[in-house]
Structure formats: C-alpha cells, structure tokens
Amino acid sequence: MRIRFRKIAQALSAAVFAAVLTGCGSTPEVTSYVNPVSGRRTDVLAENLLDAPGQSREMLWLNAYRDFSDQYRFKYYLEAIYGAREEAGYLDVGPGRSLTIVADGQEMNFVGLGSLSKEEENGAVFESARYEATADDIYRISRARTVNVRLTGKNGVVVRDFNAENFDKFRKFVDQTDL
C-alpha cells in the first residue's frame, strides 16, 4: 500500500511539473518552480535571447535564476546559452572568467565552471554555462541604459547588446523577485 501511494504521488508530481513547464499558452517571462521532492523554489528568467543585427550564424541567451536553499537563503545565477549551426560548431566555453557584461560602461566579470551541457538538435549545437552572481549584479544589469554581453570560448567570442525587450525582462525579474 505504501509503495503504491508513493508511485501515485510521484506520478502526480511529475504531471504537475510537466503542466507547469508546458503552460497554457505563452510562457511568462519570470516563473517560479518548486521542486516537489525537496520543496526548494527557483525563480527563473528564461528564453532571454540577445538578438544580433542582420543574420547571424550564432545565438546567445542570457538568463537569470534565484535559487533558494531555504526560505531565507538564496543565490543568484546567470546562465549563458550559446547556439549555432552545426557547421559553426561549439564555442567550447572553458572554466574561468568567460562571461563579461558591461553595464553603462562598468565591466563585470563572471567566473564559471565552463560548459555544463552540450547538445545537438536538428542541425544546431547548443551549450550552456552558469555563473554565480550577486543581487547587486542583477540589479545593475536591470537598471542600466546600455548592456553589452561577451561570452568567450576556446573557439571564439560572441558579443551581443541588450535591446528594449532584454531590459524589460531583466527589470521584471528584479521587480518580481523583490531584489
């Protein structure tokens, strides 16, 4: 009986999690997820594509997270996701200082462990790297007038500037996470 209840609870948790991920239409810019097992909450700004003028063979997303360890303690992270056509290949982000953000002329450097995941999908390659940030870093990015993002890998550098939509998303993240 106990095993059956556990299986039902796990299936129900998985269904709720899937429903949260798929949503009922467009995904809100800032969402919160609660792990059904640990109860830990994560606030997420995802799908923040930094557009490039003209046609580019590479794409860059800069997302933000607030990950709770308990009700009162949390950490902020920035996630850079690189995407390109298969023939362009991976950027191959290594460990160390590989993400630089210049907000209103002030340079912020972020250190990470390098590419956390690499995937190939439909003729494209994707890799992601995560960087610990401070609340002040996130706030400075959200309130800046100009933001330039530079992601460096062994196979090159991708540089993008924030547009109005990127600023709007970061400001919503800050406002909704009570930063």
Side-chain angles (χ1 to χ4, degrees):
M1 181 74 168
R2 179 180 256 177
I3 293 173
R4 186 172 183 209
F5 177 77
R6 189 177 307 153
K7 286 184 179 182
I8 291 170
Q10 287 174 339
L12 191 58
S13 294
V16 168
F17 185 70
V20 168
L21 285 178
T22 57
C24 298
S26 65
T27 305
E29 280 138 8
V30 179
T31 54
S32 293
Y33 298 103
V34 177
N35 183 310
V37 177
S38 69
R40 287 178 54 177
R41 184 177 110 203
T42 302
D43 299 324
V44 180
L45 162 63
E47 300 180 25
N48 186 35
L49 177 64
L50 307 178
D51 283 328
Q55 212 160 24
S56 176
R57 67 183 194 153
E58 301 167 313
M59 298 175 289
L60 182 63
W61 289 263
L62 183 67
N63 302 325
Y65 298 86
R66 180 171 71 166
D67 189 31
F68 285 81
S69 54
D70 64 34
Q71 185 178 0
Y72 303 105
R73 289 184 290 240
F74 47 84
K75 289 185 178 180
Y76 287 94
Y77 297 95
L78 293 170
E79 177 190 43
I81 301 175
Y82 166 84
R85 294 184 201 138
E86 200 169 19
E87 61 268 11
Y90 292 104
L91 189 59
D92 202 13
V93 177
R97 191 177 79 182
S98 54
L99 177 66
T100 301
I101 297 176
V102 180
D104 287 340
Q106 297 203 350
E107 189 172 290
M108 297 181 282
N109 294 294
F110 299 91
V111 176
L113 298 174
S115 295
L116 297 176
S117 67
K118 291 182 177 180
E119 299 175 17
E120 291 183 35
E121 185 179 314
N122 298 329
V125 295
F126 298 93
E127 66 182 287
S128 66
R130 189 173 74 175
Y131 304 87
E132 196 166 326
T134 66
D136 185 55
D137 295 332
I138 303 293
Y139 185 82
R140 286 174 53 200
I141 293 167
S142 75
R143 296 304 187 246
R145 291 181 186 190
T146 61
V147 170
N148 176 270
V149 179
R150 184 171 58 240
L151 182 64
T152 304
K154 292 177 185 172
N155 297 323
V157 178
V158 178
V159 178
R160 296 289 186 271
D161 293 318
F162 266 33
N163 62 28
E165 183 180 356
N166 303 124
F167 284 113
D168 185 50
K169 287 181 177 185
F170 258 82
R171 287 180 186 124
K172 284 181 181 175
F173 180 75
V174 167
D175 293 344
Q176 291 182 17
T177 57
D178 300 322
L179 201 113

